[in-house]
């Protein structure tokens, strides 16, 4: 409980949990997705495609259908790619986030395996402002893997409702073999 409280304080969140029993960042992100999204909801990813490790959780590759993917549970997925200049398309987000079925707006902070820039706190703040203005029901979730402690503020301090990440990366200093956190 003390570690959870310290984690919440570090990330400027109301509450948090940190567990070594989360196998990886992908596991931690999947826990959030399954915990928040319900049949009929739509997950809107606004930074292009998420890590390929999440594709089987979401049901994007078609190979894992029937294995309990979000798609199996009637949860839709939509995506807004970055612009030609690898910038967030704020106008497209504002229009898409108005949808009644949009329950989650998902931001992958890290560039992952692509060559795009890392999403900054200022960019996350702008997405949060837009989404919360046009859709009170939508939750903004940030995949914060590799983003921890890289700027003075964390996503939950600029409007993100929930974020998750891996202890294997920045918070674990490269020493942790497993683990993750969820803060919101």
């Amino acid at each position: 409980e003390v570690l959870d409280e310290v984690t919440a304080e570090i990330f400027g969140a109301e509450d948090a949990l940190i567990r070594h029993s989360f196998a990886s960042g992908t596991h931690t992100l999947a826990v959030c997705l399954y915990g928040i999204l319900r049949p009929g909801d739509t997950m809107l990813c606004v930074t292009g495609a998420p890590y390929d490790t999440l594709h089987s959780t979401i049901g994007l590759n078609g190979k894992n259908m029937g294995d309990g993917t979000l798609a199996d549970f009637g949860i839709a997925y939509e995506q807004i790619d970055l612009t030609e200049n690898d910038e967030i398309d704020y106008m497209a987000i504002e229009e898409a986030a108005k949808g009644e079925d949009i329950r989650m707006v998902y931001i992958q902070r890290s560039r992952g395996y692509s060559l795009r820039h890392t999403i900054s706190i200022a960019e996350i703040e702008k997405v949060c402002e837009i989404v919360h203005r046009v859709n009170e029901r939508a939750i903004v979730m940030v995949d914060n893997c590799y983003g921890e402690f890289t700027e003075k503020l964390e996503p939950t301090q600029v409007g993100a409702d929930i974020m998750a990440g891996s202890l294997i990366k920045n918070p674990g200093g490269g020493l942790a073999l497993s683990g993750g956190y969820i803060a919101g």
Side-chain angles (χ1 to χ4, degrees), residues 59-145:
L60 296 181
N61 58 14
K63 296 176 185 173
N64 299 86
M65 300 309 289
D67 288 346
T69 69
L70 294 175
D72 289 335
F73 291 112
I75 297 163
Y77 172 85
E78 293 179 13
Q79 177 178 308
I80 297 175
D81 291 323
L82 299 178
T83 66
E84 283 184 23
N85 299 330
D86 283 335
E87 300 297 323
I88 292 176
D89 191 340
Y90 298 108
M91 289 179 19
I93 292 169
E94 184 165 3
E95 191 58 38
K98 292 177 185 176
E100 286 184 28
D101 59 334
I102 301 296
R103 179 68 173 137
M104 177 183 287
V105 173
Y106 186 90
I107 301 168
Q108 180 178 297
R109 191 167 179 192
S110 168
R111 63 188 228 161
Y113 307 112
S114 71
L115 297 178
R116 73 160 168 85
H117 72 284
T118 300
I119 304 301
S120 71
I121 287 293
E123 290 170 301
I124 292 169
E125 183 174 29
K126 189 168 182 179
V127 170
C128 292
E129 184 278 318
I130 291 168
V131 171
H132 290 135
R133 180 171 37 83
V134 302
N135 186 339
E136 293 178 358
R137 183 177 177 268
I139 293 169
V140 177
M141 179 178 166
V142 176
D143 169 351
N144 204 35
C145 291

Side-chain angles (χ1 to χ4, degrees), residues 11 18 144-149 165-176 180-181:
F11 288 118
I18 186 166
N144 204 35
C145 291
Y146 292 109
E148 304 90 358
F149 319 129
S166 168
L167 296 184
I168 300 168
K169 299 169 181 92
N170 294 3
L175 302 174
Y181 68 89

